[in-house]
Every structure is written in structure tokens, then in C-alpha cells.
Amino acid sequence: MILNTLGRYFFRRYVVTTFWFLIGIFTLIFIIDFSELATRMSNLPHYSVAGALVMTTFRIPMILQQTIPFVALFAAMAALISLNRRYELVVTRAAGISVWQFLRPFVLGSFLFGVLAVIALNPLAAWGAKRAEALEAEWGSSRAAQTNSIPWLRQIYEGTDTIIGARSVQNGGTELINVTVIHFDPQGTIILRQDAKSAKLEDGYWLLNGVTETGNGQLPRRLETARLRTNLKPEFVQERLAKADSIQFFDLPRKIEIARSFGFSTKGMETQLHSLLSLPLLLVAMTLIAACVSLKFSRFNQSRAVILGGILSGFVLYVVTVLVKAFGSSGIVPPFVAAWLPVVVAMALGSTILLHQEDG
């Protein structure tokens, strides 16, 4: 009964602390991002303050998703330090409850926090990023969709060899902005260039809008629209141009299968999938790191350097995780290893340090 009551109390303290940290981070991100958007886009033809507020709201989940490990670290440290300074952990130890018992609510809270971030925040972040990208394009920004890789597609259809390039992409790659189409003859010589404001992939053709055609030895010709025959399918283009971190968690397995069917590398998407799956345990590792530097802070009057060391350790773990994830996306390291190895090592180190501190 004591453990159940105490566990609920500690769990509630962790949840409340995490909630207030999220509110603070959300507010800080909102202010900074809104200021940056206002500075960068205030000269666009369709910019408005209300629109900038809406765009900032759309962008926040994607940015907030990157801060989740640090929120878990700081929330666990703050909760444990607060309990220590109020001598609540001292009384808990005096009652014969070990560190492994009273840390369970914090570990459970961080694990559930990670699950919630994967199944709720990640899909919201992917949706919000697409909405912000579309809104920026409506304002007339040439930097829209910079989060996507600049596409260069090559198609050979009905004896024609064509390369399609664009400044930015929308709707998963089925709409291109500021398009350049270069046509080659069988000998590889350029015979025609088409520059268009936009291109949309329809059934069996690209619909080019605002086209300027330039042929060899000919004056440029302007057309309202033009059609470029293609055998590319929307699924192919989407998989070719999509970035792994712009795909929501529940769509990643299907996207991986589609990309494999087209012969594309799936290393980036596999690494992203395993990174999301390992996120709850990454937050557990952050909680163990917080416990290593927070449990004895008040009792032994340790210096603030210990707390700074915990923050630095969490930052190093995050940097290593991101670095190894990049190796996994590039194929240097298997995606499963890239996502899970730093988490497992961090949890093992945190547990080892706690065993040494508490049990000798």
C-alpha cells in the first residue's frame, strides 16, 4: 500500500513537472519562431501577422519534437531535486524503500511520455510541417519546402530522355515549384528547355503552368500551360522525393515497403522508424542519467557542477544519438544498430552508475 500510494504521488509530481516544462518550451519556441518568421517573410506579398501566428503554430510540433529528450532530462532532474530538498526522498529511504523502487514512477512516466510523443506528437508534427510549407508557398516564398531535397528526376518515355528539376516540392512530390525541364535527343544533345512556374503530376503527364520554351536556334516562346508525357506514378515520385523525418510514424512501414518495390534505398526511413520506436527507452535513459546526478545532491551538498555534468551527459547522449542516426541513414551502420545501440549503452551506463552509488 505504501509503495502504491508513494508511486502515485511521485508519478503525479513527474507528470506535473513535465507538463510545466513543455509549456515553457512551447512558449519559448513560439516567441522565437514567430520573430524569425516575421523577420524573414514580412516582405512577401501575401504575408500577414495572423498568418504568421498560424504558421508558427503549425511549425511548433516539429520543433518541439526535437526537444523531447531534453524535456525528459530536465523534468526528471527538477522533480528529483525538488523531492530531495523537501527531504521526501530522505523519508522514503528511511522507510526502507530502495532507489529502484521509488524510481519506477519516473521511469514509467518517461516511458509513457515517449510513447505519447511517438503516437501523438510525431503525426501532428508531420501534418503541421506540410501545412506550414503549403502556407509559405501561398505567400509567394521561393524558400518553400526547403526541408525537402531539391528534386532531379530523369524519365525516358516514348523515346524521349528528359530531366526534371525544381526549386521546391509540395504534396509529397506531386507538385513542383520553379521547374526546369531539359529534353535530350538520342545522341544526348539538348534540344529543348522548358521553364515553368509550377508542375503538377496528373494521370500520365506533368501539367506545366507559366511555361517558357527555348529550343536550339529559336526565340523563347511563352505558353500558359504545357503537357509533358510521363510514365511516372505518384507513388514513385513521392517515395523518390520524400524525407524520412517528414513521414509520420504510422505511415513509415508502408512507405518502406513501397520504396523497396521501386528499388529505392530505405536506410533513412528504416533508421527513422527505429529511432521513433527507441524514443521511449531513450527518455528512460535520460531519466536514469538525471537520477545519477540528482539523488544525492541535497544529502551530500554537492556542487552545481554535478548538475551541470548531468546536463552535459544528456547533451552528449543526444548528440551521439543524432550522429549515429546519420550514419544509419547513409548506410554506414545498419539502421537497427544506429537507433538502438546508443539507447542500450546509455541505459546500461546509467544503471551501472546507480548500482555503484546506491548498492556499492
Side-chain angles (χ1 to χ4, degrees), residues 9-221:
Y9 173 70
F10 284 169
F11 182 79
R12 186 169 62 250
R13 289 289 298 272
Y14 176 81
V15 170
V16 171
T17 305
T18 302
F19 174 77
W20 284 114
F21 265 98
L22 283 174
I23 292 296
I25 294 295
F26 180 92
T27 304
L28 184 62
I29 292 174
F30 191 94
I31 293 173
I32 295 175
D33 194 60
F34 176 76
S35 301
E36 191 271 337
L37 283 178
T39 302
R40 180 163 60 91
M41 300 185 182
S42 58
N43 59 343
L44 296 179
H46 302 291
Y47 170 84
S48 66
V49 175
L53 290 172
V54 172
M55 181 183 290
T56 302
T57 304
F58 286 149
R59 284 163 53 94
I60 281 181
M62 182 62 75
I63 303 174
L64 188 63
Q65 185 177 235
Q66 310 302 318
T67 68
I68 291 299
F70 293 104
V71 172
L73 174 68
F74 295 148
M77 291 180 64
L80 290 171
I81 291 173
S82 175
L83 292 172
N84 237 343
R85 289 181 174 175
R86 296 183 180 185
Y87 299 102
E88 289 171 297
L89 291 186
V90 176
V91 174
T92 300
R93 292 172 186 271
I97 300 174
S98 71
V99 63
W100 306 108
Q101 291 174 306
F102 68 72
L103 275 184
R104 288 176 190 172
F106 298 94
V107 171
L108 176 62
S110 61
F111 183 84
L112 294 179
F113 183 31
V115 171
L116 189 63
V118 172
I119 66 175
L121 182 60
N122 177 261
L124 182 62
W127 176 83
K130 291 180 181 178
R131 293 294 302 160
E133 175 186 310
L135 188 59
E136 185 174 351
E138 290 177 5
W139 289 355
S141 173
S142 60
R143 296 183 57 181
Q146 281 192 337
T147 54
N148 293 69
S149 57
I150 297 177
W152 289 101
L153 297 173
R154 181 176 181 177
Q155 65 174 42
I156 300 176
Y157 183 62
E158 295 181 345
T160 61
D161 189 355
T162 308
I163 292 180
I164 305 171
R167 291 283 301 276
S168 59
V169 300
Q170 294 182 19
N171 294 334
T174 57
E175 292 186 21
L176 308 179
I177 308 299
N178 293 334
V179 184
T180 299
V181 181
I182 301 176
H183 300 258
F184 298 88
D185 63 13
Q187 288 72 39
T189 303
I190 298 176
I191 58 175
L192 179 66
R193 170 172 173 158
Q194 293 175 306
D195 295 285
K197 293 181 179 179
S198 64
K200 185 176 182 180
L201 182 59
E202 304 288 355
D203 186 15
Y205 63 91
W206 289 95
L207 180 61
L208 308 178
N209 298 299
V211 186
T212 301
E213 291 188 348
T214 306
N216 290 337
Q218 299 177 2
L219 293 176
R221 184 174 60 150

